[in-house]
Amino acid sequence: MNRQAQIAHHNSGLDVITMLTNLNLKPSTESIIIYLSAVLFSVIGTLLIPGKWVPGAPLKDNSRVYYKTNGLLVVLVGSLIYGALCYTNFQFAGQAIYTLICNSFGELLTVSLVFSILLTTLLYLRGLFIIPEKERNFLYPKWNIPMNFWCGVELNPHFFGFEIKEFSYRPAFLMMSVLNLSYAFEQYRLYGALSTNLVTFQAISFFYTIDAFVFEYGLIYMFDIIEENFGFMLVFGDYLWMPFVFTLQNLYLVNDFNVNHTQTFVNIAIFIVGYIIFRGANNQKFVYRQDPKQVWLGLIEPKTLETARDRKLLISGFWGVARKINYLGDILIAIAQSLPCLQCGYLLPWLYPIYLTALLFHRAMRDNERCKEKYGKFWDEYCKKVKWVMIPGVY
């Protein structure tokens, strides 16, 4: 048998239709155990591994939610344990654990969907019948069940003493690491080597994961955490979209040994530029929120525009270049994660950057409307000072 055929359907014309019809989507007992193990480890790790408790952004009632920032250790320890299992060729259901996971991609996808639906249902019923009335945050009339299920009823649901919305990034990133490690070990098993494109993709993905938790305080100030209820939209994003869409590239790269050094160089350069923009802009804003007088990196004075609502709009550094400059960085990082699949010739590995670009452009338009209503003439003045929305010189 051809070695490539040992991994069903990988790198064999995986357009959307082929993927949905050829991947085995019926969950097995093993796929359920694997997925729930990642979630359970994240819960236990969050409870037992030491971490600093930090306050989140002020809510509308001026209260603050406290978050345990031990996500880096939770994901690293989980990844190291799984990596050790792969290295020792741990057998599960008669085959190496990493081979089993590679061949169970479709099954795990289904398990994550069912888990997302069940968790959202639990959160929805909890919001209706368990939590106090004052903690309910209906965005739609109570009778509008579909939209309240989609958007959620509660802003900051708590389980086991910690806030579950921010926590959910941990099983998402841990499952990403598990999938990435599985495909790396499987490629090495098949070919005795790792391809340049797979290493490039996984190095960027690993760096992205570690960075997210090194700057975990930044997650706490994200729009999703501060403003969005925890409904199916976010649950699906954390428990299915992130771990499986962010790792789709592996399915195309596991058998790919094409080498294009120019492409790899450009790939890494795009990632570095995107990361500098994304992390620099977010860090500058975080530092400003912590101390409005602090000079960022000792170089950039925090220049602001006064408004009538006792709020100031930052107009220096990254935030003097474009109003949503961090979105540009995020999109470039997403592009860099899909570029290793450039020679594969299929659209599906580009699902993440395509989706993210559409999402962020739409979010930028919504945010502009919201800020226009919120700040009035001051927003017009701000837009004159910071002309570009996201891409300097273009948009």
Side-chain angles (χ1 to χ4, degrees):
M1 178 183 292
N2 186 290
R3 287 188 297 181
Q4 288 189 340
Q6 295 180 35
I7 306 180
H9 315 303
H10 297 337
N11 204 34
S12 59
L14 272 171
D15 54 33
V16 177
I17 302 301
T18 305
M19 181 177 185
L20 292 178
T21 54
N22 286 5
L23 284 180
N24 180 18
L25 298 175
K26 183 179 180 181
S28 62
T29 302
E30 292 80 13
S31 62
I32 295 172
I33 292 173
I34 289 167
Y35 187 84
L36 292 183
S37 294
V39 177
L40 182 60
F41 179 86
S42 300
V43 173
I44 295 172
T46 299
L47 289 172
L48 299 183
I49 295 175
K52 182 180 179 181
W53 288 88
V54 299
L59 302 177
K60 293 177 181 178
D61 61 0
N62 290 321
S63 65
R64 288 176 181 256
V65 175
Y66 278 76
Y67 299 87
K68 189 177 183 181
T69 54
N70 63 351
L72 178 62
L73 286 175
V74 171
V75 174
L76 276 181
V77 171
S79 299
L80 287 172
I81 291 174
Y82 179 70
L85 291 175
C86 292
Y87 184 77
T88 57
N89 205 37
F90 177 78
Q91 299 291 299
F92 187 37
Q95 55 188 316
I97 183 67
Y98 51 85
T99 301
L100 174 64
I101 288 179
C102 288
N103 288 327
S104 301
F105 189 91
E107 299 173 30
L108 290 166
L109 192 66
T110 303
V111 173
S112 67
L113 176 60
V114 174
F115 181 87
S116 299
I117 293 171
L118 292 176
L119 177 57
T120 307
T121 302
L122 174 64
L123 290 167
Y124 181 73
L125 294 176
R126 162 191 158 94
L128 286 181
F129 302 113
I130 298 178
I131 65 172
E133 182 74 30
K134 65 178 182 179
E135 294 182 17
R136 296 170 187 165
N137 187 42
F138 285 101
L139 301 179
Y140 295 87
K142 192 173 182 179
W143 53 263
N144 193 339
I145 295 174
M147 290 309 300
N148 285 317
F149 186 86
W150 175 260
C151 294
V153 175
E154 195 175 358
L155 181 62
N156 300 114
H158 278 68
F159 286 92
F160 309 112
F162 55 81
E163 203 264 4
I164 189 175
K165 184 164 55 172
E166 193 269 343
F167 154 82
S168 293
Y169 283 107
R170 298 169 193 199
F173 278 107
L174 178 57
M175 198 63 205
M176 281 174 56
S177 295
V178 166
L179 287 165
N180 284 341
L181 284 168
S182 296
Y183 280 97
F185 274 94
E186 183 67 358
Q187 186 180 69
Y188 191 83
R189 180 185 75 84
L190 291 171
Y191 301 103
L194 295 176
S195 69
T196 300
N197 287 332
L198 185 75
V199 170
T200 301
F201 162 70
Q202 293 209 6
I204 291 173
S205 181
F206 179 74
F207 186 91
Y208 183 74
T209 298
I210 297 304
D211 174 77
F213 290 108
V214 167
F215 297 97
E216 188 171 4
Y217 59 78
L219 294 176
I220 295 167
Y221 285 85
M222 287 177 60
F223 177 83
D224 295 350
I225 300 298
I226 298 173
E227 298 287 346
E228 301 274 22
N229 286 353
F230 198 47
F232 185 74
M233 178 178 65
L234 293 186
V235 172
F236 178 87
D238 290 334
Y239 290 91
L240 187 150
W241 190 265
M242 283 184 63
F244 294 96
V245 172
F246 285 28
T247 60
L248 267 176
Q249 294 88 334
N250 285 304
L251 276 70
Y252 296 83
L253 297 175
V254 68
N255 292 312
D256 177 27
F257 278 85
N258 292 311
V259 179
N260 185 322
H261 296 299
T262 301
Q263 175 188 321
T264 302
F265 176 81
V266 171
N267 196 161
I268 295 172
I270 289 174
F271 172 73
I272 292 173
V273 172
Y275 177 77
I276 290 172
I277 295 172
F278 175 77
R279 180 53 59 204
N282 285 329
N283 183 256
Q284 183 191 357
K285 181 174 282 189
F286 177 81
V287 169
Y288 173 75
R289 284 173 172 169
Q290 299 298 304
D291 181 2
K293 296 182 180 180
Q294 183 174 341
V295 178
W296 186 62
L297 298 182
L299 299 172
I300 300 176
E301 294 280 351
K303 297 179 182 178
T304 59
L305 175 70
E306 300 280 350
T307 73
R309 298 174 60 91
D310 196 30
R311 293 285 300 274
K312 297 179 180 179
L313 300 172
L314 194 59
I315 57 171
S316 60
F318 285 101
W319 300 100
V321 177
R323 305 195 291 273
K324 295 294 179 183
I325 190 70
N326 56 324
Y327 289 0
L328 173 61
D330 210 359
I331 291 170
L332 289 175
I333 291 172
I335 291 172
Q337 288 181 291
S338 292
L339 264 177
C341 298
L342 183 62
Q343 298 174 65
C344 296
Y346 295 101
L347 185 62
L348 199 56
W350 293 86
L351 178 59
Y352 172 41
I354 291 171
Y355 147 82
L356 185 68
T357 300
L359 172 73
L360 293 182
F361 269 83
H362 183 255
R363 181 177 289 182
M365 289 188 291
R366 286 191 293 124
D367 189 62
N368 184 72
E369 294 172 1
R370 182 175 62 86
C371 289
K372 172 68 175 174
E373 180 180 348
K374 182 177 181 179
Y375 296 110
K377 65 178 183 179
F378 296 97
W379 185 252
D380 294 331
E381 183 180 350
Y382 170 69
C383 291
K384 290 179 181 178
K385 291 182 177 293
V386 185
K387 178 180 179 182
W388 305 107
V389 176
M390 191 185 306
I391 307 173
V394 178
Y395 172 66

